[in-house]
Amino acid sequence: MAHHATTTLAPRESRLDLLDAYTALVRTTMDLDTGFLSYFVETYRAVAEETAIPVRVDHLRPGMRVIAAARLEDRTVTLVTRTTVDNQPCISLRWEKTGPDDFSPGGALYPADYFLVVTLDSIADVFDPAPRRVEVPA
């Protein structure tokens, strides 16, 4: 009798849901006007080096790594909550504590169309949660 292995999708989301979310993220990033995109390239070395991109906060997801221009406030998103303030859509973000010296754990509130810079590696990890194969040299 043959034994059949089964595979499961990422918890709580199908691959199509992940693809739709990723497509929306890329579309808003690509729609930045050239002046705004130039600001990110000039301000964030990681954007200039093409290791990070600006992402609208309403497209952030837990696990994404948000970086600061001076690399002093890098944070990993742990919770994204949609809310309203003065009848305007907002996004509340919660951060992972980075260490015992972390003086600003917790989170922040942003307008829904605000952009933060996110590493491409963390985006790949969020949208392709399958374990990556590591090649071992022979």
Side-chain angles (χ1 to χ4, degrees), residues 65-101:
R65 183 97 173 131
V66 176
I67 62 172
R71 298 187 186 258
L72 299 174
E73 301 170 5
D74 296 2
R75 298 272 186 250
T76 300
V77 176
T78 59
L79 182 65
V80 180
T81 307
R82 296 178 191 286
T83 187
T84 57
V85 174
D86 297 327
N87 293 323
Q88 298 297 316
C90 292
I91 303 297
S92 173
L93 299 178
R94 291 282 175 214
W95 309 110
E96 179 179 274
K97 189 171 178 172
T98 57
D101 298 356

Side-chain angles (χ1 to χ4, degrees), residues 15-25 27 59 61 127:
R15 292 273 181 199
L16 286 177
D17 291 335
L18 290 171
L19 178 60
D20 288 345
Y22 178 75
T23 301
L25 179 153
R27 185 173 297 123
H59 293 290
R61 290 169 164 255
F127 290 109

